């Protein structure tokens, strides 16, 4: 797409060039092909002939034209390859397509053979139209200039933990309320030509482009462009996955919309919006909020030095306000004051007088950020509630959080203790200052209501440049990592949905699955232990997290015709698609519709279609995984994470209370169950209970039938997970390093994440959070058996755990297994006389595992030879099957 993108960029640039044709103000999205080529050629030649773009002292266009001279067009690429190919590659541009663009658009006399093809012109115009449409659609939803009323967040006992008027978010400020010196400071340092350009400062843009070609990326954005980035690109937090060059596409959007904003809004409205929506430090929205957060004063009471400090913040708002960057901030403030002097806004005497009056921030050196909000990770999720912004356009809002302070304190304590324990055990060191280097996150959710009772997105403090600073980044909802084997239950759910039973025997051998496409990479899974052989029950496969058995489920599951049709005509790709659909149904990943509507964060996409997906090879967040397990725990009710439980609305910031509303989220969740058989979910619950009683999480066996869950460990021990649930709560833990380095050999989910879960669960079952506001919450110390009240249509049978045969009398060693009523008659203890018999849903027959290879033609199943290889269980004439390489799996 390089050619088409470059054509679109020059079209968008044309209105800003003095040499552009008279009709350059024609709406770009209304151009026809002939007009588009004319504008693009004019723009390209204007830039290349500009004295601002030179090479060896002459305009770039003249230099290139003289260089190529009479060289045939097909040899031009070779002339510039050494100098330009690596530079264009750094910009993400295809070199050959860039040369083709030059020959057809920028060359003074393009040859007929290299004229722009009509389809490429149409593609470039489509890029322009779609980009403009997307941005304007988003901007149309923004409440520009409208008053955003005060918001107050309370705990259930009435304690105020956030007040927007006090803690960093103020009302919309008219430009007349913004100090003129702050306006001048921002213009002096960010955009000196603000009142003279048409949205783009072409000279600054050229300088930035020159630096970028040299590999030194430099800003050349105007205030208008920065506003577009803040209003659209930064809020979207993503680029569409099909976009091949996000940096240039973002610049394209700025070029298109900056011009329209200038024409439709005018300078005053643009500057006013900038001072109200841009981050001026520590996540504050707008300059007025930053003044309160950083200095504890309204804007009107700040001195010149403090105003200059605010104007410096948009450069690096996430770093400059903290003590570790004090020297950088001081230098930046001095630079702002000097630029104001150069522009004639203040005298040198004023600049010298106010250089040091910006410091310190509120208790900055003494407290090192301790003045920041409690529950900050939780509050940031609450502030994303769509109903909050909706109500605040007309009302002052008091929001009651779903947060349980006692459980939150327990979660934070369990996380920090667990991370410290990991460092002592696996790294052989005690955490410096009691603050671990490794990071983690914890989420606790009431899976009946969706209420997020606790969310700890990391350790409260982190080391930064040798000092302790508050940990601002929420790794519970914003960190996207591979979930490993915590995703496996959804493959087992797919198998249960399509007729397999917990007692079915699944091979534990190497296998080859068919390629998904001619361009697919080979994939051969292996178990974490590298051991293989034999066959085990489906239950055993999940309890012990066997990668091979999980992969075999794709081979053995028959979608839709499992019971009585051809038992060997399986389709692994179809089974994989069924798992992907379940991952959408349970909210782990995003649908294409959500992606197109920009409802997913940057790393999110539709679930990928490759086999390692079933072993957790695609990133997602802890909050999403906890939500998915909550839907298993509650029998398929599609709850959504709820951070605000109740809204109280008042007219005006000081007006009396008008009405109280329960949070609209999850209101009708009970009427929209997930499209899964509740009996399959109950069977899956039983399997996950086996994980905590006999499997990779057997250290939880002392909790009996009150807990179920799954461990997860990713390739090279980069991530450790455990997600589990009781009868009322779903809890999730993730541990990993920020730079994704290995946690160390043996640092598995069961060894690193599970102990944190165990500590938290033990505290909950002992009722430790009861002392904190318990009267406002259900009694979460009361947890009953997960197997209570199975759905109708299930039959429970006692099986011998060794033979797998049904038993007449339930003994201490019996395994209670649940079968769907239509399948249960196939399990018959009388058939166990020949040995280890079991029901196979594939054919609806009882047969012995050791007789699998005697089924006869045209089918064949080979047991692994001494090389531990096996062919798939398929028709002999099905053709070639791909191999595979281990990519991910779980561990004990």
């Amino acid at each position: 797409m390089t050619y088409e993108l470059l054509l679109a960029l020059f079209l968008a640039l044309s209105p800003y060039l003095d040499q552009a044709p008279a009709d350059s103000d024609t709406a770009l999205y209304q151009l026809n092909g002939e007009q588009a080529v004319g504008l693009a050629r004019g723009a390209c030649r204007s830039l290349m002939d500009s004295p601002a773009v030179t090479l060896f002292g002459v305009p770039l266009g003249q230099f290139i034209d003289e260089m190529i001279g009479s060289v045939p067009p097909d040899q031009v690429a070779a002339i510039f390859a050494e100098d330009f190919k690596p530079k264009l590659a750094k910009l993400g541009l295809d070199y050959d397509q860039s040369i083709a663009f030059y020959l057809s658009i920028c060359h003074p006399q393009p040859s007929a053979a290299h004229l722009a093809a009509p389809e490429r012109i149409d593609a470039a115009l489509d890029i322009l139209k779609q980009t403009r449409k997307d941005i304007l659609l988003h901007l149309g939803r923004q409440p520009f200039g409208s008053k955003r009323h005060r918001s107050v967040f309370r705990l259930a006992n009435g304690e105020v933990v956030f007040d927007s008027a006090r803690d960093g978010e103020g009302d919309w400020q008219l430009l007349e309320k913004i100090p003129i010196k702050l306006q001048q400071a921002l213009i002096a340092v960010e955009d000196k030509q603000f009142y003279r350009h048409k949205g783009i400062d072409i000279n600054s843009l050229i300088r930035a482009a020159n630096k970028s070609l040299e590999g030194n990326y430099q800003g050349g954005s105007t205030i208008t462009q920065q506003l577009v980035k803040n209003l659209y690109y930064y809020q979207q937090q993503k680029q569409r996955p099909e976009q091949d060059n996000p940096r240039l596409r973002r610049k394209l959007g700025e070029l298109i919309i900056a011009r329209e904003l200038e024409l439709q809004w005018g300078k005053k409205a643009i500057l006013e919006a900038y001072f109200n929506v841009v981050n001026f430090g520590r996540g504050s929205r707008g300059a007025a909020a930053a003044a309160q957060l950083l200095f504890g004063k309204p804007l009107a009471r700040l001195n010149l030095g403090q105003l200059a400090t605010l104007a410096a913040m948009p450069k690096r708002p996430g770093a400059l306000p903290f003590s570790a960057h004090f020297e950088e901030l001081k230098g930046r403030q001095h630079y702002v004051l000097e630029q104001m002097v150069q522009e004639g806004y203040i005298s040198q005497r004023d600049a010298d007088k106010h250089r040091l009056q910006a410091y310190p921030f509120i208790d900055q050196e003494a407290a090192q950020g301790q003045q920041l909000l409690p529950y900050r990770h939780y509050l940031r999720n609450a502030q994303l509630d769509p109903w909050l912004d909706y109500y605040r356009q007309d009302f002052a809002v008091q929001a009651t959080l779903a947060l349980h302070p006692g459980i939150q304190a327990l979660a934070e304590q369990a996380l920090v203790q667990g991370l410290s324990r990991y460092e002592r055990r696996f790294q052989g060191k005690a955490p410096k200052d009691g603050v671990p280097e490794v990071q983690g996150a914890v989420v606790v959710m009431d899976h009946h209501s969706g209420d997020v009772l606790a969310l700890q997105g990391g350790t409260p403090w982190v080391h930064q440049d040798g000092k302790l600073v508050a940990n601002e980044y929420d790794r519970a909802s914003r960190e996207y990592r591979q979930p490993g084997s915590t995703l496996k239950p959804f493959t087992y759910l797919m198998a249960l949905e399509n007729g397999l039973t917990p007692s079915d025997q699944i091979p534990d051998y190497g296998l080859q699955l068919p390629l998904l496409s001619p361009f697919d990479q080979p994939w051969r899974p292996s178990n974490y232990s590298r051991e293989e052989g034999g066959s085990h029950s489906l239950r055993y496969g999940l309890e012990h997290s066997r990668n091979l058995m999980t992969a075999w489920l794709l081979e053995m599951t028959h979608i839709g015709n499992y019971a009585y049709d051809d038992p060997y005509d399986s389709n692994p790709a179809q089974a994989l698609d069924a798992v992907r659909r379940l991952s959408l149904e349970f909210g782990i990943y995003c649908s294409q519709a959500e992606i197109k509507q920009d409802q997913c964060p940057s790393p999110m996409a539709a679930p990928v279609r490759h086999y390692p997906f079933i072993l957790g090879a695609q990133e997602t967040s802890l909050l999403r995984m906890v939500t998915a397990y909550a839907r298993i725990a509650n029998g398929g009710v599609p709850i959504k994470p709820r951070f605000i439980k109740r809204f109280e609305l008042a007219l005006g910031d000081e007006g009396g209370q008008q009405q109280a509303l329960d949070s609209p989220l999850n209101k009708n969740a009970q009427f929209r169950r997930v499209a899964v058989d509740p009996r399959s979910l109950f069977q899956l619950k039983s399997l996950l209970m086996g994980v905590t009683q006999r499997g990779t999480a057997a250290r939880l066996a002392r909790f009996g039938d009150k807990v179920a869950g799954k461990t997860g460990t990713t390739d090279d021990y980069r991530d450790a997970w455990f997600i589990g649930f009781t009868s009322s709560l779903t809890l999730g833990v993730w541990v990993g390093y920020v730079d994704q380095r290995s946690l160390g050999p043996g640092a598995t989910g069961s060894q690193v994440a599970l102990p944190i879960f165990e500590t938290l669960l033990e505290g909950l079952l002992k009722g430790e959070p009861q002392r904190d506001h318990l009267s406002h919450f259900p009694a979460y110390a009361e947890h009953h058996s997960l197997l209570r009240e199975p759905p109708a249509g299930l039959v429970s049978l006692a099986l011998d755990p060794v033979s797998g045969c049904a038993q007449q009398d339930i003994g201490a060693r019996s395994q209670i297994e649940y079968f769907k009523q239509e399948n249960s008659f196939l399990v018959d203890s009388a058939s166990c006389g020949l040995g280890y018999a079991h029901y196979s849903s594939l054919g609806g027959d009882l047969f012995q595992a050791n007789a699998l290879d005697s089924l006869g033609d045209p089918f064949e199943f080979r047991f692994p030879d001494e090389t531990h290889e096996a062919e798939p269980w398929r028709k002999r004439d099905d053709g070639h099957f791909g191999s595979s390489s281990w990519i991910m799996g779980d561990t004990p």
Side-chain angles (χ1 to χ4, degrees):
M1 286 294 291
T2 289
Y3 185 101
E4 293 79 1
L5 183 56
L6 286 173
L7 181 56
L9 278 168
F10 278 101
L11 287 172
L13 190 61
S14 61
Y16 301 100
L17 296 167
D18 293 338
Q19 300 94 332
D23 63 348
S24 62
D25 280 342
T26 300
L28 293 173
Y29 57 91
Q30 296 177 343
L31 295 172
N32 59 37
E34 184 177 348
Q35 291 172 318
V37 170
L39 283 177
R41 282 182 180 158
C44 191
R45 290 311 304 185
S46 294
L47 284 179
M48 295 188 67
D49 294 338
S50 169
V53 187
T54 61
L55 201 60
F56 301 109
V58 298
L60 179 63
Q62 178 184 337
F63 176 83
I64 293 178
D65 294 342
E66 291 177 356
M67 274 284 293
I68 63 175
S70 58
V71 175
D74 59 353
Q75 298 179 20
V76 171
I79 296 177
F80 298 103
E82 183 176 351
D83 290 330
F84 283 90
K85 194 168 187 176
K87 295 177 180 179
L88 291 171
K90 287 182 178 180
L91 294 176
L93 296 174
D94 180 271
Y95 177 70
D96 292 329
Q97 287 196 36
S98 300
I99 292 296
F101 175 78
Y102 171 81
L103 292 173
S104 64
I105 299 296
C106 300
H107 195 284
Q109 295 179 333
S111 65
H114 289 83
L115 292 178
E119 58 269 20
R120 286 192 149 174
I121 299 173
D122 291 340
L125 291 174
D126 286 342
I127 292 174
L128 285 172
K129 295 174 185 177
Q130 189 60 49
T131 302
R132 176 183 180 274
K133 177 183 176 182
D134 288 349
I135 299 179
L136 288 181
L137 181 64
H138 179 77
L139 296 186
R141 304 190 190 110
Q142 305 303 310
F144 299 120
S146 64
K147 184 177 178 61
R148 299 179 74 247
H149 292 270
R150 181 180 181 181
S151 61
V152 176
F153 290 89
R154 301 179 182 274
L155 299 179
N157 67 342
E159 178 187 347
V160 175
V161 293
F162 176 86
D163 186 335
S164 65
R166 178 195 71 193
D167 297 316
E169 184 184 316
D171 298 328
W172 188 277
Q173 302 291 313
L174 298 177
L175 190 61
E176 290 77 10
K177 298 291 185 179
I178 305 294
I180 188 64
K181 290 302 180 188
L182 179 57
Q183 299 180 41
Q184 293 171 341
L186 182 74
I187 290 171
V189 75
E190 294 290 344
D191 188 1
K192 294 181 176 64
Q193 302 297 317
F194 177 69
Y195 284 107
R196 291 186 284 274
H197 61 61
K198 298 182 290 186
I200 302 294
D201 184 343
I202 195 65
N203 291 324
S204 294
L205 197 63
I206 292 173
R207 285 195 300 270
N210 279 337
K211 291 292 183 182
S212 294
L213 282 174
E214 297 170 4
N216 300 317
Y217 301 111
Q218 175 180 308
S221 297
T222 63
I223 286 175
T224 311
Q225 288 174 275
Q226 292 178 37
L227 179 63
V228 173
K229 281 187 285 190
N230 276 272
L231 290 176
Y232 180 66
Y233 290 102
Y234 291 168
Q235 289 189 23
Q236 296 298 89
Q237 294 185 300
K238 70 181 286 296
Q239 299 292 338
R240 293 185 181 279
E242 67 269 18
Q243 293 183 355
D244 56 325
N245 196 316
R247 186 188 303 118
L248 289 185
R249 285 185 180 265
R250 191 195 74 191
K251 189 62 65 178
L252 172 65
E254 294 170 17
L255 290 170
I256 298 170
I257 302 301
R259 176 66 168 161
E260 294 201 34
L261 290 188
E262 293 275 342
L263 292 173
Q264 296 180 23
W265 289 16
K267 298 291 185 180
K268 177 181 175 181
I270 289 171
L271 199 58
E272 181 179 296
Y274 189 99
F275 280 115
N276 279 280
V277 302
V278 170
N279 181 0
F280 277 83
R282 292 186 185 170
S284 57
R285 180 173 177 175
Q292 288 286 353
L293 182 63
L294 300 178
F295 302 108
K297 302 176 183 178
L299 274 175
R301 290 177 53 198
L302 298 188
N303 61 43
L304 178 59
Q306 292 168 328
L307 292 172
T309 301
L310 277 187
M313 288 297 174
K315 186 75 172 178
R316 293 185 66 199
L320 292 178
F322 297 100
S323 57
H325 298 273
F326 179 85
E327 292 301 322
E328 181 185 354
L329 175 61
K330 185 166 65 175
R332 181 72 180 166
Q333 186 234 30
H334 293 178
Y335 175 74
V336 173
L337 291 171
E338 289 303 322
Q339 294 301 306
M340 293 181 73
V341 172
Q342 289 187 22
E343 294 301 306
Y345 295 137
I346 61 173
S347 66
Q348 187 65 54
R349 181 180 177 182
D350 288 335
D352 295 338
K353 176 182 177 182
H354 290 90
R355 281 182 191 276
L356 299 180
Q357 293 187 12
Y359 314 102
F361 293 142
I362 303 173
D363 299 327
Q364 182 181 5
E365 289 300 317
Q368 293 189 2
Q370 291 186 37
Q371 78 281 4
L372 294 180
L373 300 171
Y375 315 124
R376 52 189 171 274
H377 297 153
Y378 193 101
L379 283 168
R380 286 183 178 172
N381 283 281
Q383 289 166 337
L384 296 176
D385 189 306
W387 290 95
L388 181 65
D389 266 345
Y390 175 79
Y391 290 140
R392 287 187 64 193
Q393 294 181 36
D394 300 304
F395 303 97
V397 177
Q398 293 190 12
T400 301
L401 299 174
L403 182 143
H404 187 305
I407 296 179
Q408 176 68 37
L410 188 62
E412 180 180 321
Q413 181 182 20
L415 179 64
V416 175
Q417 288 179 350
L419 298 180
S420 300
R421 185 167 53 239
Y422 154 80
E423 289 198 345
R424 288 191 295 268
R425 177 182 175 188
F426 287 90
Q427 303 300 327
K429 64 180 182 180
K432 182 181 177 182
D433 301 320
V435 177
E437 180 186 4
V438 69
Q439 277 300 315
V442 174
V443 173
V444 181
M445 179 184 292
D446 181 329
H447 53 238
H448 298 297
S449 65
D451 288 347
V452 179
L453 302 173
L455 182 145
Q456 186 65 31
T459 56
W461 303 95
V462 291
H463 288 102
Q464 184 173 302
D465 298 332
K467 297 183 180 180
L468 279 179
V469 298
N471 186 356
E472 296 294 329
Y473 192 76
D474 167 26
R475 301 187 185 281
S477 63
R478 297 178 63 189
E479 184 85 354
Y480 280 74
R481 305 288 281 249
Q482 292 181 349
S485 293
T486 58
L487 194 75
K488 284 180 182 174
F490 297 93
T491 300
Y492 284 78
L493 179 59
M494 178 276 302
L496 294 170
E497 275 285 273
N498 289 279
L500 270 69
T501 75
S503 64
D504 278 345
Q505 292 295 298
I506 311 297
D508 196 16
Y509 322 123
L511 79 164
Q512 299 178 65
L513 295 176
L515 297 178
L516 294 172
S517 75
F519 308 103
D520 198 14
Q521 293 296 316
W523 180 65
R524 180 184 177 86
S526 68
N527 289 325
Y528 163 74
S529 63
R530 306 294 177 174
E531 298 175 354
E532 59 183 62
S535 61
H536 308 281
S537 68
L538 181 144
R539 167 179 288 281
Y540 181 94
L542 185 57
E543 289 181 354
H544 296 275
S545 201
R546 305 294 283 182
N547 291 346
L548 288 173
M549 294 178 69
T550 306
W552 267 102
L553 290 178
L554 297 185
E555 181 69 41
M556 297 178 67
T557 305
H558 298 251
I559 307 299
N561 64 344
Y562 59 85
Y564 304 110
D565 290 349
D566 185 349
Y568 308 102
D569 189 18
S570 61
N571 188 333
Q574 193 177 31
L576 170 64
D577 289 339
V579 179
R580 293 167 63 225
R581 283 193 296 272
L582 285 173
S583 75
L584 295 175
E585 188 78 22
F586 283 79
I588 301 173
Y589 300 104
C590 289
S591 67
Q592 291 288 357
E594 289 174 308
I595 294 169
K596 290 180 179 179
Q597 294 168 11
D598 301 315
Q599 294 178 359
C600 291
S602 179
M604 287 301 300
V608 292
R609 195 175 192 261
H610 68 153
Y611 291 122
F613 172 82
I614 67 170
L615 301 183
Q618 185 179 0
E619 295 87 354
T620 187
S621 72
L622 175 62
L623 181 59
R624 281 182 172 268
M625 288 303 297
V626 167
T627 304
Y629 272 65
R631 293 174 178 179
I632 296 174
N634 66 22
V637 177
I639 47 90
K640 296 180 180 179
R642 184 168 65 174
F643 294 89
I644 296 176
K645 196 161 188 173
R646 188 176 180 84
F647 292 98
E648 294 178 0
L649 312 180
L651 289 174
D653 287 342
E654 305 300 331
Q657 179 178 320
Q658 298 297 309
Q659 63 182 124
L661 302 171
D662 287 337
S663 174
L665 293 179
N666 306 326
K667 272 282 190 177
N668 300 311
Q670 63 269 29
F671 302 115
R672 304 187 310 276
R673 306 185 68 86
V674 295
V676 174
D677 188 338
R679 298 177 301 169
S680 300
L681 289 173
F682 192 86
Q683 289 176 309
L684 183 60
K685 273 191 198 180
S686 174
L687 297 180
L688 290 171
M689 279 179 54
V691 175
T692 62
Q693 292 179 354
R694 293 171 298 277
T696 57
R699 66 184 292 161
L700 299 180
R702 60 193 175 95
F703 296 109
D705 60 0
K706 293 184 178 181
V707 64
K710 184 70 186 75
T711 53
T713 310
T714 60
D715 194 12
D716 197 29
Y717 305 99
R718 290 190 179 95
D719 304 273
W721 298 73
F722 187 80
I723 305 175
F725 50 84
T726 68
S727 58
S728 58
L729 298 178
T730 300
L731 304 81
V733 178
W734 165 84
V735 177
Y737 280 106
V738 175
D739 58 6
Q740 299 204 25
R741 68 180 184 269
S742 174
L743 290 165
T748 63
S750 62
Q751 298 297 318
V752 177
L754 181 57
I756 298 173
F757 179 96
E758 182 181 20
T759 300
L760 181 54
L761 178 63
E762 192 167 32
L764 289 168
L765 293 180
K766 286 181 179 178
E768 290 183 9
Q770 291 187 36
R771 61 181 179 270
D772 295 297
H773 318 290
L774 184 65
S775 60
H776 303 284
F777 294 93
Y780 289 116
E782 298 177 7
H783 301 270
H784 59 70
S785 169
L786 292 173
L787 299 182
R788 192 169 75 176
E789 301 175 356
L794 280 178
V795 175
S796 62
L797 294 171
L799 302 183
D800 182 275
V802 177
S803 69
C805 298
Q807 297 176 315
Q808 297 294 334
D809 300 317
I810 299 177
R813 296 175 60 250
S814 300
Q815 169 64 50
I816 305 300
E817 208 63 90
Y818 292 86
F819 297 88
K820 293 174 183 174
Q821 201 164 34
E822 60 269 26
N823 295 336
S824 62
F825 71 95
L826 295 167
V827 179
D828 182 0
S829 60
S831 67
C832 289
L834 297 176
Y836 192 83
H838 66 283
Y839 162 66
S840 171
S841 62
L842 296 177
D845 299 323
L846 271 171
F847 54 91
Q848 289 178 276
N850 58 12
L852 281 173
D853 57 347
S854 64
L855 293 175
D857 292 335
F859 309 103
E860 179 179 44
F861 181 90
R862 292 184 183 175
F863 281 81
D865 56 21
E866 61 276 4
T867 63
H868 298 291
E869 293 182 354
E871 293 181 0
W873 192 358
R874 291 180 158 275
K875 294 181 180 178
R876 286 177 172 175
D877 58 357
D878 273 357
H880 171 72
F881 303 106
S883 61
S884 63
S885 61
W886 181 76
I887 190 169
M888 177 178 305
D890 196 23
T891 61

